[in-house]
Amino acid sequence: MGNHAGMFFGQFVRHPWRVGAVAPSSAALAARVVAPLPDTGEPVVVELGAGTGVFTDVIQERLSGRGYHLAVEVDAAFAALLRRRYPRVDVVVDDAARLPQLLAARGLPLADVVVSGLPWVAFTAGRAAGTLAAVASVMSPLGALTTFAYVHARWAPPARRLHAELAHRFEELVLGRTVWANLPPAFVYHARRPRHASSRVDRPESIVDESEPVR
Ligand SMILES: C[S@@+](CC[C@H](N)C(=O)[O-])C[C@H]1O[C@@H](n2cnc3c(N)ncnc32)[C@H](O)[C@@H]1O
């Protein structure tokens, strides 16, 4: 099957800031980011920044025909590859920040699970905050979002801003253990229960950090 690493690197050379990584994520990281997918029911699953489909593959396997899988990918070449590989996935070439409009256009209800591969650290602060706000605004009350960050960049300002934004937008935030079998090593943010503006109440944030210090 392969993870199309050559094509991924080619797109990175063309659009380094947009792609944000030199290689696709590993299977080990994919297994962690899809953890919140339910084993039953018909969930609406949204994938942001799907690239060559490392997460798409595992999401499709877990859903095995259930629910609705929308993949939002800004790169037309990646989207064309995804459409060929995953005919059951609704692949749209668009900006993740337009998720509310994309769901509405399809008559879809709120998203139950959002799996993000977006290169947050390559976004400006305003763009990252705006994108996260838009995504959280169309998630179901018990919805879950996963996204990952690279361990070496964990304390850099963009990564700290992402952490703060996630803690602000979601009631629960859990940082997973380091996935060493990824290039570079990464960890997963598990965010649950979006704080919608209409129902937001001032409650203390629940943050659990299971990640390990950098060795
Ligand atoms: C770090 S790669 C991750 C790809 C894949 N999920 C993986 O883990 O191997 C980031 C992906 O996000 C896409 N992307 C960047 N900005 C985006 C945006 N605003 N909306 C949708 N996709 C975006 C890039 O084209 C790229 O495919």
Side-chain angles (χ1 to χ4, degrees):
M1 176 176 53
N3 61 5
H4 298 264
M7 180 199 180
F8 194 100
F9 185 70
Q11 291 306 95
F12 168 76
V13 171
R14 284 182 196 92
H15 309 286
W17 286 103
R18 197 169 77 188
V19 174
V22 294
S25 298
S26 68
L29 186 60
R32 301 278 183 96
V33 296
V34 302
L37 258 77
D39 286 336
T40 57
E42 303 288 333
V44 173
V45 180
V46 172
E47 187 181 359
L48 305 173
T52 50
V54 174
F55 299 164
T56 320
D57 207 65
V58 192
I59 294 169
Q60 277 293 286
E61 199 179 299
R62 287 281 295 275
L63 288 176
S64 63
R66 295 177 296 119
Y68 197 98
H69 182 171
L70 172 67
V72 185
E73 171 54 62
V74 81
D75 185 306
F78 284 150
L81 172 73
L82 294 166
R83 286 195 183 112
R84 275 200 310 276
R85 293 182 74 191
Y86 307 102
R88 296 188 66 101
V89 181
D90 180 1
V91 180
V92 58
V93 180
D94 215 318
D95 185 337
R98 288 196 354 100
L99 184 61
Q101 293 90 326
L102 297 173
L103 287 179
R106 287 161 175 75
L108 285 171
L110 299 170
D112 298 303
V113 179
V114 176
V115 174
S116 169
L118 294 176
W120 296 108
V121 296
F123 287 10
T124 62
R127 187 168 183 212
T131 301
L132 200 56
V135 171
S137 75
V138 287
M139 289 181 62
S140 61
L142 297 178
L145 174 143
T146 55
T147 190
F148 66 90
Y150 296 122
V151 174
H152 67 271
R154 181 172 175 183
W155 303 109
R160 293 167 74 119
R161 279 198 300 267
L162 173 65
H163 184 123
E165 276 298 325
L166 287 166
H168 172 62
R169 294 279 164 205
F170 291 85
E171 289 184 14
E172 181 187 290
L173 185 61
V174 175
L175 282 65
R177 287 175 177 278
T178 299
V179 180
W180 294 103
N182 193 72
L183 191 69
F187 65 95
V188 177
Y189 282 110
H190 296 272
R192 280 185 189 275
R193 301 192 303 276
R195 299 179 209 265
H196 291 129
S198 54
S199 61
R200 188 173 297 160
V201 284
D202 286 328
R203 269 184 273 180
E205 282 148 5
S206 156
I207 300 177
V208 180
D209 187 347
E210 293 176 345
S211 60
E212 298 137 9
V214 184
R215 281 197 281 226

